[in-house]
Amino acid sequence: MTQSTGPAGAAKANGGAATIESVADILDRELQSVIADWLARVEQEPELKSIPLTFEERTGHLPHLLHDVIKRLRLDAGTKAPISKAAAEHGDLRRKQGYTVAMAVEESRLLQVTIFSTLHKNAENLDFDLLLADVVTIADEVDAQLKEQMLRFMAADAAKLAKGQ
């Protein structure tokens, strides 16, 4: 596990109490480590690795999807989030890159695991009164993004069938 280097880590090193942060703030601060951790998980999956992609091709969508998650976490409770344009574009891209539906689902699952692992690493900074609601929001947003990706997969398949291919 890596130790956070933010103000909370400094406070803890000095014997002080950890600074409490929102889940959105932690994800925003840890964005690059979330991407690196997600990529490490993806690279352990033979099926996903079977599609040769550059770092940018593999991870370029993640900042956009993660910013959508962070934005959703910062909305007032009960506010319906806008449909993720980044997720729809990602679905188109992954299909063109040769991904199957199962592969896209696996990537999404790994994103949730990575986000939750990041929160676990930063547990000393979490406001536990809000954590469960934020976890539900994260799961809902990542699943909504996956739905958008799958809608693009299905639309492409329908268009292909319509052309008789």
Side-chain angles (χ1 to χ4, degrees):
M1 278 204 255
T2 59
Q3 181 69 18
S4 90
T5 56
K12 215 153 165 74
N14 295 329
T19 301
I20 300 303
E21 297 177 90
S22 72
V23 167
D25 289 344
I26 290 170
L27 293 177
D28 200 21
R29 175 173 50 82
E30 296 290 332
L31 188 72
Q32 293 307 313
S33 68
V34 170
I35 293 168
D37 292 351
W38 176 85
L39 182 60
R41 283 180 165 79
V42 166
E43 289 179 343
Q44 293 176 7
E45 296 298 326
E47 186 178 25
L48 296 176
K49 275 190 67 172
S50 72
I51 305 287
L53 299 173
T54 65
F55 175 83
E56 181 58 34
E57 289 168 333
R58 181 100 46 211
T59 65
H61 67 289
L62 280 176
H64 304 290
L65 295 182
L66 289 166
H67 283 297
D68 283 351
V69 169
I70 292 165
K71 185 171 25 172
R72 173 89 183 270
L73 286 164
R74 289 184 171 142
L75 289 175
D76 291 334
T79 304
K80 186 169 167 80
I83 293 171
S84 174
K85 182 180 177 192
E89 291 170 355
H90 179 60
D92 286 337
L93 176 64
R94 283 299 193 245
R95 191 172 187 294
K96 289 174 187 164
Q97 290 170 331
Y99 270 56
T100 64
V101 166
M103 293 165 84
V105 170
E106 181 66 4
E107 267 197 354
S108 181
R109 184 188 72 77
L110 292 173
L111 180 58
Q112 286 191 59
V113 168
T114 304
I115 290 170
F116 297 143
S117 294
T118 299
L119 295 179
H120 180 73
K121 289 177 194 173
N122 287 274
E124 74 228 14
N125 304 95
L126 288 169
D127 181 347
F128 282 93
D129 292 337
L130 303 174
L131 181 61
L132 190 54
D134 286 346
V135 165
V136 169
T137 298
I138 290 165
D140 186 57
E141 178 62 24
V142 174
D143 287 348
Q145 291 176 3
L146 178 60
K147 177 184 174 185
E148 285 305 308
Q149 292 173 40
M150 296 304 95
L151 288 171
R152 293 296 184 105
F153 268 72
M154 292 180 341
D157 288 344
K160 191 174 178 181
L161 282 174
K163 289 182 182 178
Q165 296 177 335

